Amino acid sequence: MDIQLLGCVEARTCTGRKVPLPHSAKILLATLVWNPGAFVSDEVLWERVWPERRPQHPRDALYIHATRLRKALAAAETEGQAPELVRERGGYVLAVDQDGVDVARFRDLVREARHAARDGRTEAALDLFGRALGLWRGEPLSDVRTAWADSARVTLRREHRDALVGSTELYLRRGRHDECLRQLNWLSDIHPFDEKVAGLLMLALYRSGRQADALGCFRTMRMRMSAQLGCEPGDELRALHARILSRDPGLLPAAATPTVRAGASC
């Protein structure tokens, strides 16, 4: 069975059929598979499932939620092995391995990608990053609205951003700047104060022959930071701006020839 958190919370059989889950079962499922196969205490589950108004008898309420989840998963056993929800003293374990949860697979693939990048296996790293990012189906845990889910979303968005940045850096290292411009523009939109993302976008634009656009990105970032944060871009971004302004040959990939043209700023 494939349990998915990188989008709506879903469980799918080995044939791809979506397993119907009551909403309460979705919340419990998400909390149990955050660390696949790990024991989760009743107290942690109470805090995650009922962060504000806890039932008068939370252990009994949790038992009802667990029963509903167990029944939903058991109904899919005819299409393959369904994970077993086990009651242990003081908590629960959902017997699912890392490969059965998309968040765990995403993290494993990103870890492998970084190892490959450090070893100089750039194409393998790009493939691993691509497979990891391909697991995302939208806003993670999008149909679970609790304080714990909000915190988990913050963590996952940061990991997603870091994976995108890591893959983009490898594309730029390979001189494949045109391939990552759309991704960088999207990242810049959702992380408008991220100087690392802004720098990568400026570099990709410059290497694509779009010096004016790259300089325009810096101006936009500078005005945005000044107006909304009351500060200036950091030393690293200002240094990159100066190098782009002077058309520093060191910014171009090996064997590249500058073909700077004008264009609309970002």
Side-chain angles (χ1 to χ4, degrees), residues 5-77:
L5 306 185
L6 300 177
C8 294
V9 177
E10 294 181 354
R12 292 186 177 272
T13 67
C14 58
T15 61
R17 183 176 68 84
K18 184 178 175 180
V19 178
L21 293 171
H23 185 67
S24 60
K26 284 188 174 188
I27 299 174
L28 182 58
L29 178 64
T31 63
L32 286 167
V33 300
W34 184 247
N35 294 303
F39 170 83
V40 187
S41 70
D42 289 340
E43 290 77 9
V44 169
L45 291 171
W46 296 341
E47 182 180 345
R48 291 180 178 180
V49 176
W50 302 291
E52 297 176 357
R53 180 178 291 179
R54 188 169 297 177
Q56 186 175 359
H57 303 288
R59 184 167 279 108
D60 292 340
L62 186 59
Y63 177 81
I64 292 171
H65 281 34
T67 299
R68 290 173 179 170
L69 176 59
R70 190 178 286 115
K71 287 180 177 178
L73 296 177
E77 282 190 1

Side-chain angles (χ1 to χ4, degrees), residues 4 17 31 35 51 70-71 86 100 105 141 144 148 152 158-159 163 179 184 191 207 240 244 259:
Q4 302 174 349
R17 183 176 68 84
T31 63
N35 294 303
R70 190 178 286 115
K71 287 180 177 178
V86 180
R105 293 201 306 277
L141 299 158
V144 177
W148 170 78
R158 182 175 61 249
E159 293 180 25
E179 295 178 51
L184 280 169
H191 298 286
R207 286 184 173 182
L240 177 61
I244 290 173
T259 55

Side-chain angles (χ1 to χ4, degrees), residues 1 3-5 29-40 48 83-84 92-108 111 148:
M1 183 171 288
I3 299 172
Q4 302 174 349
L5 306 185
L29 178 64
T31 63
L32 286 167
V33 300
W34 184 247
N35 294 303
F39 170 83
V40 187
R48 291 180 178 180
E84 182 182 5
Y92 289 87
V93 175
L94 185 64
V96 60
D97 60 23
Q98 298 272 345
D99 290 339
V101 183
D102 61 355
V103 170
R105 293 201 306 277
F106 168 77
R107 289 171 170 164
D108 284 345
R111 193 178 302 114
W148 170 78

